[in-house]
Amino acid sequence: MYRFLLSRQWVILTLIMLALIPTMIELGFWQLHRHEQRVALNTVISDSLAAKPVPAESLTAPGSTVPHHDLYRRVTAQGTFDTAHEVVVRRRTNSDEEVGFHVLTPFVLDDGRVLMVNRGWIPANGAQTEFPKIPAPPKGETTVTGRLMADETTADSGIKDLRGLPERQVMLINSKQQARSLGKQVLGGYIEMTAPGPKGGSPELLPDPDHSSIGPHMAYAVQWWLFAAGVPVGWVILVRRERQERAEAADTADASETQGTPETPDTTPAAV
């Protein structure tokens, strides 16, 4: 009755379905982990933004990596902007998804070390190969406040670190790269400046990160697990359908043979 399951076609189909079940379960757990990571990050961001600002030098140092629990922590620093070594970060968008640049300016601290400051977003009005016109930051001794961020890498951001870019243009905000370029001690990570506000509104300060949305990852996890549960159900339905079709085909064949068989004439001699 079910010998058709031993056919090559059904063996392959069964093996594929058996492989799909653990794959879908694993994909569900992957989405669950992403959900948990997002929830944990939201907590870190919320706690960091609510905390009082501390000196940037107390949380980072030259060559160091910003710890996860210090991400988005509000920090302050005192020094002067070095616009002569200012660079722009390519292909960055603002809140309206317009493509432009982020302005990355070295901030020389009172002890001579450097803190990289992302002053915000400007539009790409000219050619991408030209260094854009950037509104100047405050002159002289300045106190800045901002959110502490980890160095950007290709692995974490997905942004390819292209080579051969126009002068004073970069793809990633990375303190180690800037340290090599400047020849100075640069504190690990960088800050997204929140104060003082720019004159005329440019560069456009970066908004606070979203820490209320948890994304669709939990829904995706449940979806993958439902798919995994549906695979054996679908297999059973296909088996029953195949069995029914084969049974109907066999009945039709039997009926055809019966109708097509001629009646045998009676050749028995009649009694006298």
Side-chain angles (χ1 to χ4, degrees):
M1 184 179 298
Y2 290 100
R3 293 189 63 182
F4 64 86
L5 292 176
L6 298 178
S7 66
R8 183 173 180 270
Q9 176 184 358
W10 272 96
V11 169
I12 293 175
L13 178 62
T14 301
L15 290 176
I16 291 175
M17 288 188 168
L18 288 175
L20 283 175
I21 293 173
T23 301
M24 291 177 176
I25 292 174
E26 183 62 27
L27 286 171
F29 279 110
W30 175 63
Q31 289 290 350
L32 176 63
H33 294 327
R34 293 191 66 186
H35 168 78
E36 293 172 342
Q37 291 171 356
R38 181 59 185 267
V39 171
L41 180 60
N42 284 350
T43 301
V44 169
I45 296 174
S46 179
D47 293 345
S48 295
L49 295 179
K52 294 182 179 180
V54 297
E57 305 93 309
S58 67
L59 298 181
T60 182
S64 68
T65 300
V66 176
H68 181 78
H69 59 265
D70 285 334
L71 289 176
Y72 299 96
R73 183 68 186 274
R74 291 195 302 160
V75 296
T76 61
Q78 190 168 355
T80 55
F81 283 104
D82 177 12
T83 55
H85 297 95
E86 194 168 55
V87 298
V88 291
V89 190
R90 294 167 58 96
R91 300 178 186 173
R92 299 301 168 108
T93 58
N94 64 358
S95 56
D96 295 325
E97 298 300 323
E98 297 174 312
V99 179
F101 301 98
H102 280 179
V103 179
L104 189 64
T105 311
F107 190 72
V108 184
L109 306 178
D110 293 339
D111 60 8
R113 295 182 297 175
V114 174
L115 172 66
M116 299 308 300
V117 177
N118 184 345
R119 295 203 289 125
W121 179 88
I122 59 172
N125 292 326
Q128 289 284 324
T129 56
E130 298 178 359
F131 191 75
K133 294 181 179 180
I134 304 172
K139 295 182 179 180
E141 190 79 5
T142 305
T143 298
V144 297
T145 303
R147 298 179 291 266
L148 183 62
M149 305 295 294
D151 286 322
E152 295 180 344
T153 64
T154 297
D156 292 335
S157 67
I159 301 173
K160 188 175 181 180
D161 192 13
L162 301 176
R163 304 297 179 182
L165 295 176
E167 188 178 1
R168 297 174 67 182
Q169 295 190 23
V170 298
M171 295 300 300
L172 297 169
I173 305 178
N174 189 283
S175 63
K176 295 180 178 62
Q177 289 183 0
Q178 294 304 312
R180 291 192 294 268
S181 177
L182 295 171
K184 295 182 179 181
Q185 287 189 320
V186 178
L187 302 185
Y190 66 99
I191 68 169
E192 293 178 346
M193 191 171 75
T194 58
K199 293 182 179 179
S202 183
E204 180 183 317
L205 294 179
L206 304 183
D208 285 344
D210 176 21
H211 56 281
S212 59
S213 173
I214 59 174
H217 304 299
M218 178 57 77
Y220 289 160
V222 173
Q223 188 177 62
W224 279 118
W225 291 332
L226 289 176
F227 287 160
V231 168
V233 175
W235 184 84
V236 170
I237 292 174
L238 290 176
V239 169
R240 289 182 174 179
R241 181 180 298 173
E242 179 77 6
R243 177 179 174 273
Q244 181 180 357
E245 290 177 353
R246 286 174 177 266
E248 291 175 353
D251 291 343
T252 302
D254 291 342
S256 298
E257 290 179 1
T258 301
Q259 293 175 0
T261 303
E263 293 184 0
T264 302
D266 187 2
T267 58
T268 304
V272 177

